[in-house]
Short mmCIF file of all heavy atoms in Angstrom, two decimals:
data_model
loop_
_atom_site.label_atom_id
_atom_site.label_comp_id
_atom_site.label_asym_id
_atom_site.label_seq_id
_atom_site.Cartn_x
_atom_site.Cartn_y
_atom_site.Cartn_z
N VAL O 1 106.16 127.11 89.75
CA VAL O 1 107.35 126.88 88.94
C VAL O 1 107.03 125.93 87.82
O VAL O 1 106.49 124.84 88.04
CB VAL O 1 108.53 126.37 89.80
CG1 VAL O 1 109.74 126.11 88.91
CG2 VAL O 1 108.85 127.31 90.89
N GLN O 2 107.38 126.32 86.62
CA GLN O 2 107.20 125.49 85.45
C GLN O 2 108.53 124.86 85.08
O GLN O 2 109.54 125.54 84.99
CB GLN O 2 106.63 126.28 84.28
CG GLN O 2 105.20 126.77 84.53
CD GLN O 2 104.68 127.62 83.40
OE1 GLN O 2 105.40 128.45 82.86
NE2 GLN O 2 103.45 127.37 82.99
N LEU O 3 108.51 123.54 84.83
CA LEU O 3 109.73 122.83 84.58
C LEU O 3 109.54 121.98 83.31
O LEU O 3 108.51 121.29 83.17
CB LEU O 3 110.12 121.92 85.76
CG LEU O 3 110.24 122.57 87.13
CD1 LEU O 3 110.37 121.52 88.20
CD2 LEU O 3 111.45 123.51 87.12
N VAL O 4 110.56 121.96 82.44
CA VAL O 4 110.54 121.23 81.20
C VAL O 4 111.83 120.45 81.06
O VAL O 4 112.88 121.09 80.95
CB VAL O 4 110.25 122.10 79.98
CG1 VAL O 4 110.23 121.24 78.73
CG2 VAL O 4 108.94 122.87 80.16
N GLU O 5 111.76 119.15 81.05
CA GLU O 5 112.98 118.31 80.86
C GLU O 5 113.24 118.06 79.39
O GLU O 5 112.29 118.00 78.57
CB GLU O 5 112.81 116.97 81.57
CG GLU O 5 112.54 117.03 83.06
CD GLU O 5 111.07 116.85 83.36
OE1 GLU O 5 110.24 117.17 82.46
OE2 GLU O 5 110.72 116.39 84.46
N SER O 6 114.48 117.83 79.08
CA SER O 6 114.86 117.38 77.73
C SER O 6 116.20 116.68 77.83
O SER O 6 116.87 116.75 78.85
CB SER O 6 114.95 118.60 76.79
OG SER O 6 115.94 119.51 77.22
N GLY O 7 116.59 116.01 76.75
CA GLY O 7 117.88 115.39 76.68
C GLY O 7 117.94 113.89 76.81
O GLY O 7 119.00 113.30 76.70
N GLY O 8 116.79 113.26 77.07
CA GLY O 8 116.75 111.84 77.18
C GLY O 8 117.01 111.17 75.83
O GLY O 8 117.01 111.82 74.75
N GLY O 9 117.16 109.85 75.86
CA GLY O 9 117.39 109.12 74.61
C GLY O 9 117.82 107.71 74.89
O GLY O 9 117.75 107.21 76.04
N LEU O 10 118.30 107.05 73.86
CA LEU O 10 118.76 105.66 73.90
C LEU O 10 120.26 105.63 73.76
O LEU O 10 120.83 106.18 72.82
CB LEU O 10 118.11 104.85 72.78
CG LEU O 10 118.58 103.41 72.59
CD1 LEU O 10 118.26 102.58 73.83
CD2 LEU O 10 117.96 102.84 71.33
N VAL O 11 120.92 105.01 74.75
CA VAL O 11 122.34 104.87 74.72
C VAL O 11 122.76 103.46 75.17
O VAL O 11 122.01 102.80 75.78
CB VAL O 11 123.06 105.91 75.66
CG1 VAL O 11 122.78 107.32 75.21
CG2 VAL O 11 122.60 105.69 77.10
N GLN O 12 123.98 103.10 74.78
CA GLN O 12 124.50 101.80 75.22
C GLN O 12 125.10 101.94 76.62
O GLN O 12 125.46 103.02 77.04
CB GLN O 12 125.59 101.35 74.24
CG GLN O 12 125.09 100.98 72.86
CD GLN O 12 126.19 100.39 71.98
OE1 GLN O 12 127.20 99.90 72.47
NE2 GLN O 12 125.97 100.41 70.67
N ALA O 13 125.18 100.81 77.31
CA ALA O 13 125.81 100.80 78.60
C ALA O 13 127.22 101.39 78.52
O ALA O 13 127.97 101.08 77.58
CB ALA O 13 125.85 99.39 79.15
N GLY O 14 127.56 102.22 79.48
CA GLY O 14 128.83 102.89 79.50
C GLY O 14 128.84 104.24 78.85
O GLY O 14 129.78 105.02 78.96
N GLY O 15 127.73 104.57 78.16
CA GLY O 15 127.61 105.82 77.50
C GLY O 15 127.19 106.97 78.42
O GLY O 15 126.99 106.75 79.63
N SER O 16 126.95 108.14 77.84
CA SER O 16 126.58 109.31 78.62
C SER O 16 125.43 110.04 77.98
O SER O 16 125.18 110.01 76.79
CB SER O 16 127.79 110.29 78.69
OG SER O 16 128.90 109.71 79.32
N LEU O 17 124.68 110.74 78.84
CA LEU O 17 123.63 111.65 78.45
C LEU O 17 123.63 112.85 79.38
O LEU O 17 124.05 112.70 80.55
CB LEU O 17 122.24 111.00 78.51
CG LEU O 17 121.86 110.01 77.41
CD1 LEU O 17 120.53 109.37 77.77
CD2 LEU O 17 121.77 110.71 76.06
N ARG O 18 123.22 114.00 78.90
CA ARG O 18 123.01 115.15 79.77
C ARG O 18 121.54 115.59 79.65
O ARG O 18 121.09 115.97 78.57
CB ARG O 18 123.91 116.33 79.37
CG ARG O 18 123.85 117.45 80.41
CD ARG O 18 124.72 118.63 80.08
NE ARG O 18 124.21 119.41 78.96
CZ ARG O 18 124.61 120.63 78.67
NH1 ARG O 18 125.57 121.21 79.41
NH2 ARG O 18 124.13 121.26 77.62
N LEU O 19 120.87 115.52 80.79
CA LEU O 19 119.49 115.97 80.85
C LEU O 19 119.45 117.44 81.25
O LEU O 19 120.26 117.90 82.05
CB LEU O 19 118.68 115.17 81.87
CG LEU O 19 118.73 113.63 81.69
CD1 LEU O 19 117.82 112.98 82.73
CD2 LEU O 19 118.33 113.26 80.29
N SER O 20 118.49 118.16 80.70
CA SER O 20 118.28 119.58 81.03
C SER O 20 116.92 119.79 81.60
O SER O 20 115.96 119.09 81.21
CB SER O 20 118.48 120.44 79.79
OG SER O 20 119.78 120.33 79.28
N CYS O 21 116.79 120.74 82.48
CA CYS O 21 115.48 121.13 83.06
C CYS O 21 115.42 122.63 83.06
O CYS O 21 116.07 123.31 83.84
CB CYS O 21 115.37 120.58 84.48
SG CYS O 21 113.88 121.11 85.37
N ALA O 22 114.60 123.17 82.15
CA ALA O 22 114.39 124.60 82.03
C ALA O 22 113.32 125.02 83.02
O ALA O 22 112.24 124.47 83.02
CB ALA O 22 114.04 124.98 80.62
N ALA O 23 113.63 126.00 83.83
CA ALA O 23 112.72 126.48 84.88
C ALA O 23 112.23 127.90 84.60
O ALA O 23 112.98 128.74 84.11
CB ALA O 23 113.41 126.42 86.24
N SER O 24 110.98 128.12 84.95
CA SER O 24 110.41 129.47 84.86
C SER O 24 109.35 129.60 85.92
O SER O 24 108.78 128.61 86.40
CB SER O 24 109.87 129.77 83.47
OG SER O 24 108.81 128.88 83.14
N GLY O 25 109.00 130.83 86.26
CA GLY O 25 107.95 131.04 87.26
C GLY O 25 108.42 131.97 88.35
O GLY O 25 109.27 132.84 88.13
N HIS O 26 107.89 131.71 89.56
CA HIS O 26 108.10 132.60 90.67
C HIS O 26 108.94 131.98 91.77
O HIS O 26 108.64 130.87 92.20
CB HIS O 26 106.78 133.08 91.23
CG HIS O 26 105.86 133.67 90.24
ND1 HIS O 26 106.05 134.94 89.75
CD2 HIS O 26 104.73 133.19 89.64
CE1 HIS O 26 105.09 135.24 88.90
NE2 HIS O 26 104.28 134.19 88.80
N THR O 27 109.95 132.69 92.18
CA THR O 27 110.78 132.41 93.37
C THR O 27 111.44 131.03 93.34
O THR O 27 111.80 130.53 94.37
CB THR O 27 109.96 132.53 94.67
OG1 THR O 27 108.94 131.54 94.72
CG2 THR O 27 109.32 133.91 94.75
N PHE O 28 111.62 130.47 92.18
CA PHE O 28 112.25 129.16 92.12
C PHE O 28 113.71 129.20 92.52
O PHE O 28 114.30 128.17 92.86
CB PHE O 28 112.12 128.51 90.74
CG PHE O 28 112.71 129.32 89.61
CD1 PHE O 28 114.09 129.21 89.33
CD2 PHE O 28 111.96 130.18 88.84
CE1 PHE O 28 114.67 129.93 88.28
CE2 PHE O 28 112.56 130.93 87.81
CZ PHE O 28 113.91 130.78 87.56
N SER O 29 114.34 130.37 92.45
CA SER O 29 115.74 130.49 92.79
C SER O 29 116.01 130.14 94.27
O SER O 29 117.14 129.83 94.62
CB SER O 29 116.26 131.88 92.47
OG SER O 29 115.57 132.87 93.23
N SER O 30 114.99 130.20 95.11
CA SER O 30 115.14 129.84 96.49
C SER O 30 114.79 128.41 96.83
O SER O 30 114.88 128.00 97.99
CB SER O 30 114.31 130.80 97.38
OG SER O 30 112.90 130.59 97.12
N TYR O 31 114.40 127.65 95.83
CA TYR O 31 113.93 126.27 96.03
C TYR O 31 115.13 125.28 96.00
O TYR O 31 116.21 125.54 95.51
CB TYR O 31 113.02 125.85 94.93
CG TYR O 31 111.67 126.54 94.93
CD1 TYR O 31 110.74 126.31 93.91
CD2 TYR O 31 111.31 127.42 95.91
CE1 TYR O 31 109.50 126.91 93.87
CE2 TYR O 31 110.06 128.05 95.90
CZ TYR O 31 109.16 127.77 94.89
OH TYR O 31 107.94 128.41 94.87
N THR O 32 114.83 124.13 96.58
CA THR O 32 115.66 122.96 96.31
C THR O 32 115.18 122.35 94.99
O THR O 32 113.96 122.17 94.76
CB THR O 32 115.52 121.96 97.45
OG1 THR O 32 116.11 122.52 98.65
CG2 THR O 32 116.23 120.65 97.12
N MET O 33 116.15 122.00 94.16
CA MET O 33 115.85 121.34 92.91
C MET O 33 116.29 119.91 92.96
O MET O 33 117.24 119.55 93.64
CB MET O 33 116.55 122.06 91.75
CG MET O 33 116.33 123.56 91.67
SD MET O 33 114.63 123.95 91.17
CE MET O 33 114.59 123.28 89.50
N GLY O 34 115.61 119.04 92.21
CA GLY O 34 115.95 117.65 92.24
C GLY O 34 115.64 116.91 90.94
O GLY O 34 114.86 117.38 90.12
N TRP O 35 116.34 115.82 90.81
CA TRP O 35 116.03 114.84 89.71
C TRP O 35 115.55 113.58 90.35
O TRP O 35 116.09 113.07 91.33
CB TRP O 35 117.28 114.55 88.90
CG TRP O 35 117.69 115.64 87.94
CD1 TRP O 35 118.63 116.59 88.19
CD2 TRP O 35 117.12 115.92 86.67
NE1 TRP O 35 118.71 117.44 87.08
CE2 TRP O 35 117.77 117.04 86.13
CE3 TRP O 35 116.15 115.31 85.90
CZ2 TRP O 35 117.49 117.58 84.88
CZ3 TRP O 35 115.83 115.83 84.66
CH2 TRP O 35 116.52 116.94 84.17
N PHE O 36 114.52 112.97 89.75
CA PHE O 36 113.92 111.74 90.16
C PHE O 36 113.75 110.85 88.93
O PHE O 36 113.81 111.32 87.79
CB PHE O 36 112.56 111.95 90.82
CG PHE O 36 112.63 112.78 92.08
CD1 PHE O 36 112.75 114.15 92.03
CD2 PHE O 36 112.61 112.17 93.34
CE1 PHE O 36 112.82 114.93 93.19
CE2 PHE O 36 112.70 112.91 94.48
CZ PHE O 36 112.76 114.29 94.38
N ARG O 37 113.58 109.58 89.14
CA ARG O 37 113.37 108.66 88.02
C ARG O 37 112.36 107.59 88.40
O ARG O 37 112.21 107.26 89.54
CB ARG O 37 114.68 108.04 87.55
CG ARG O 37 115.33 107.13 88.56
CD ARG O 37 116.71 106.71 88.05
NE ARG O 37 117.39 105.80 88.98
CZ ARG O 37 118.67 105.40 88.85
NH1 ARG O 37 119.37 105.81 87.81
NH2 ARG O 37 119.18 104.55 89.75
N GLN O 38 111.69 107.07 87.38
CA GLN O 38 110.71 106.04 87.57
C GLN O 38 110.83 105.03 86.48
O GLN O 38 110.59 105.31 85.30
CB GLN O 38 109.30 106.61 87.59
CG GLN O 38 108.23 105.64 87.98
CD GLN O 38 106.91 106.33 88.31
OE1 GLN O 38 106.68 107.46 87.97
NE2 GLN O 38 106.05 105.62 89.02
N ALA O 39 111.22 103.81 86.83
CA ALA O 39 111.30 102.71 85.90
C ALA O 39 109.96 102.03 85.78
O ALA O 39 109.12 102.14 86.65
CB ALA O 39 112.36 101.72 86.37
N PRO O 40 109.71 101.32 84.67
CA PRO O 40 108.45 100.63 84.50
C PRO O 40 108.12 99.72 85.68
O PRO O 40 108.95 98.91 86.08
CB PRO O 40 108.65 99.84 83.22
CG PRO O 40 109.66 100.60 82.47
CD PRO O 40 110.60 101.14 83.51
N GLY O 41 106.92 99.85 86.20
CA GLY O 41 106.47 99.03 87.29
C GLY O 41 107.06 99.34 88.66
O GLY O 41 106.82 98.60 89.58
N LYS O 42 107.81 100.40 88.76
CA LYS O 42 108.45 100.77 90.00
C LYS O 42 108.01 102.13 90.48
O LYS O 42 107.45 102.94 89.73
CB LYS O 42 109.96 100.73 89.88
CG LYS O 42 110.55 99.37 89.55
CD LYS O 42 112.07 99.39 89.51
CE LYS O 42 112.66 98.04 89.24
NZ LYS O 42 114.13 98.05 89.20
N GLN O 43 108.27 102.42 91.75
CA GLN O 43 107.97 103.69 92.33
C GLN O 43 108.97 104.77 91.85
O GLN O 43 110.12 104.45 91.50
CB GLN O 43 107.97 103.63 93.86
CG GLN O 43 106.98 102.68 94.44
CD GLN O 43 105.53 103.13 94.24
OE1 GLN O 43 105.27 104.35 94.39
NE2 GLN O 43 104.67 102.25 93.91
N ARG O 44 108.52 106.00 91.85
CA ARG O 44 109.47 107.06 91.56
C ARG O 44 110.50 107.21 92.69
O ARG O 44 110.13 107.15 93.87
CB ARG O 44 108.68 108.40 91.40
CG ARG O 44 109.53 109.54 90.82
CD ARG O 44 108.61 110.69 90.40
NE ARG O 44 107.63 110.29 89.40
CZ ARG O 44 106.79 111.11 88.82
NH1 ARG O 44 106.80 112.41 89.13
NH2 ARG O 44 105.92 110.64 87.93
N GLU O 45 111.75 107.35 92.28
CA GLU O 45 112.83 107.38 93.27
C GLU O 45 113.70 108.60 93.12
O GLU O 45 113.87 109.16 92.04
CB GLU O 45 113.65 106.12 93.22
CG GLU O 45 114.47 105.92 91.93
CD GLU O 45 115.38 104.74 91.94
OE1 GLU O 45 115.47 104.06 92.97
OE2 GLU O 45 116.05 104.48 90.89
N PHE O 46 114.28 108.99 94.23
CA PHE O 46 115.20 110.12 94.27
C PHE O 46 116.49 109.79 93.53
O PHE O 46 117.03 108.70 93.65
CB PHE O 46 115.47 110.48 95.72
CG PHE O 46 116.72 111.22 95.95
CD1 PHE O 46 116.81 112.58 95.60
CD2 PHE O 46 117.79 110.64 96.56
CE1 PHE O 46 117.97 113.30 95.82
CE2 PHE O 46 118.97 111.35 96.77
CZ PHE O 46 119.04 112.66 96.40
N VAL O 47 117.02 110.75 92.82
CA VAL O 47 118.33 110.62 92.16
C VAL O 47 119.34 111.60 92.74
O VAL O 47 120.41 111.23 93.20
CB VAL O 47 118.22 110.82 90.64
CG1 VAL O 47 119.65 110.76 90.01
CG2 VAL O 47 117.35 109.76 90.04
N ALA O 48 119.01 112.92 92.71
CA ALA O 48 119.93 113.94 93.20
C ALA O 48 119.18 115.21 93.50
O ALA O 48 118.12 115.49 92.94
CB ALA O 48 121.00 114.20 92.13
#
């Protein structure tokens, strides 16, 4: 499965962003999909 994220940026506290993840490949429709994040100096963590 190939995944490409987009939609990030700089916002002020209280603001909003919508991230997108375009998927292509084989049998991804049967997968669990997830979002993770990694802050500087920290481990990658689960989001949703």
